[in-house]
């Protein structure tokens, strides 16, 4: 079974720009979660989608948004990028909350 | 009440030693406690997990000890090896709310 894939793997953007990251979950997994990982803050939960609906949301500003398509693939968008948005963005898919399968992440650098 | 507090933030252990990482929680409704292991350049992967009705679970060199009354659980890595050098995250799940809460992680370095 193919694992979770994320594209692109690396991205460099300029402050003020917007960015869209993509995640393809494991086949059959309907839940997709997004996390921001930074050295000082660990894994911070952004949001979770299940069957195209946002089911849970973390404490991030409205510049961070996401969506899920009917095939369970998910995208997250960050508008008006700030330097502090530089991070590793991880996507995880799951059948239940008990086990999350993470992708390799997208390394975003904002200059 | 939804937090999971993890310590230490970083840990250095000699090869062959025991690595111990601790986590504490408040919400007694948590119903599953997994540990994830993350190597550089990779996403976290499930390592071992325990349910709150069990006090200990062992898989190879990895053991989870669970103290329900103290609301604490810990990961022990016996005979630690340089290949165990990674970041470890404890977590707690709340299945009724479809939530998983992660600790902030521990960077473990095993000296050769």
């Amino acid at each position: 079974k193919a694992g979770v894939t994320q594209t692109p793997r690396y991205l460099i953007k300029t402050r003020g720009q917007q960015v869209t990251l993509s995640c393809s979950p494991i086949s059959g997994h309907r839940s997709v979660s997004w996390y921001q990982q930074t050295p000082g803050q660990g894994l911070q939960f952004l949001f979770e989608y299940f069957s195209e609906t946002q089911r849970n949301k973390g404490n991030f500003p409205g510049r961070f948004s996401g969506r899920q398509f009917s095939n369970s693939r998910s995208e997250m968008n960050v508008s008006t990028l700030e330097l502090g948005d530089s991070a590793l963005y991880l996507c995880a898919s799951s059948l239940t909350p008990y086990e999350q399968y993470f992708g390799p992440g997208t390394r975003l650098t904002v200059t | 009440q939804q937090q999971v507090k993890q310590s230490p933030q970083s840990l250095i252990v000699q090869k062959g030693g025991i690595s111990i990482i601790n986590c504490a929680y408040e919400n007694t409704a948590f119903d599953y406690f997994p540990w994830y292991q993350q190597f550089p350049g990779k996403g976290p992967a499930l390592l071992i997990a325990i349910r709150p009705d069990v006090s200990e679970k062992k898989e190879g060199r990895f053991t989870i000890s669970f103290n329900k009354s103290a609301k604490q659980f810990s990961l022990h890595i016996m005979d630690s090896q340089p290949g165990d050098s990674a970041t470890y995250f404890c977590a707690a799940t709340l299945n009724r709310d479809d939530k998983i809460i992660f600790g902030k992680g521990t960077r473990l370095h095993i000296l050769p």
Side-chain angles (χ1 to χ4, degrees), chain B residues 4-11 18-25 34-35 63-67 71-77 88-91 102-106:
Chain B
V4 176
K5 294 183 180 178
Q6 183 171 348
S7 62
Q9 201 169 8
S10 63
L11 182 61
I18 302 173
S19 303
I20 302 174
I21 303 171
N22 300 299
C23 286
Y25 64 97
W35 285 88
T63 300
I64 300 177
S65 296
F66 189 83
N67 186 329
K71 291 187 279 188
Q72 295 175 347
F73 59 110
S74 59
L75 176 69
H76 296 236
I77 306 175
Y88 292 82
F89 294 94
C90 65
F102 285 92
K104 287 191 179 295
T106 296

Side-chain angles (χ1 to χ4, degrees), chain A residues 37 55-56 97-98 100 102-103, chain B residues 32 36 38 43-44 46 95 98:
Chain A
Q37 185 175 21
R55 188 160 66 174
N56 285 300
Y98 296 138
Q100 307 258 305
F102 284 86
Chain B
Y32 195 68
Y36 283 77
Q38 183 182 27
L46 181 64
N95 191 45
D98 298 300

Side-chain angles (χ1 to χ4, degrees), chain B residues 91-112:
Chain B
T93 69
L94 203 54
N95 191 45
R96 69 175 188 213
D97 293 341
D98 298 300
K99 280 187 175 174
I100 180 167
I101 313 295
F102 285 92
K104 287 191 179 295
T106 296
R107 292 186 76 171
L108 173 65
H109 182 65
I110 308 300
L111 297 172

Side-chain angles (χ1 to χ4, degrees), chain A residues 42-55:
Chain A
L43 289 169
Q44 290 193 280
F45 173 71
L46 281 153
F47 28 66
E48 183 226 356
Y49 285 87
F50 182 85
S51 293
E52 302 179 66
T53 301
Q54 189 180 86
R55 188 160 66 174

Side-chain angles (χ1 to χ4, degrees), chain A residues 11-58:
Chain A
L11 206 48
I12 299 175
K13 288 286 188 179
T14 303
R15 214 168 17 169
Q17 288 186 314
Q18 74 161 13
V19 67
T20 299
L21 312 181
S22 181
C23 171
S24 291
I26 291 173
S27 178
H29 287 192
R30 293 159 65 191
S31 171
V32 174
S33 299
W34 288 89
Y35 296 85
Q36 181 193 66
Q37 185 175 21
T38 56
Q41 296 298 318
L43 289 169
Q44 290 193 280
F45 173 71
L46 281 153
F47 28 66
E48 183 226 356
Y49 285 87
F50 182 85
S51 293
E52 302 179 66
T53 301
Q54 189 180 86
R55 188 160 66 174
N56 285 300
K57 189 178 187 309

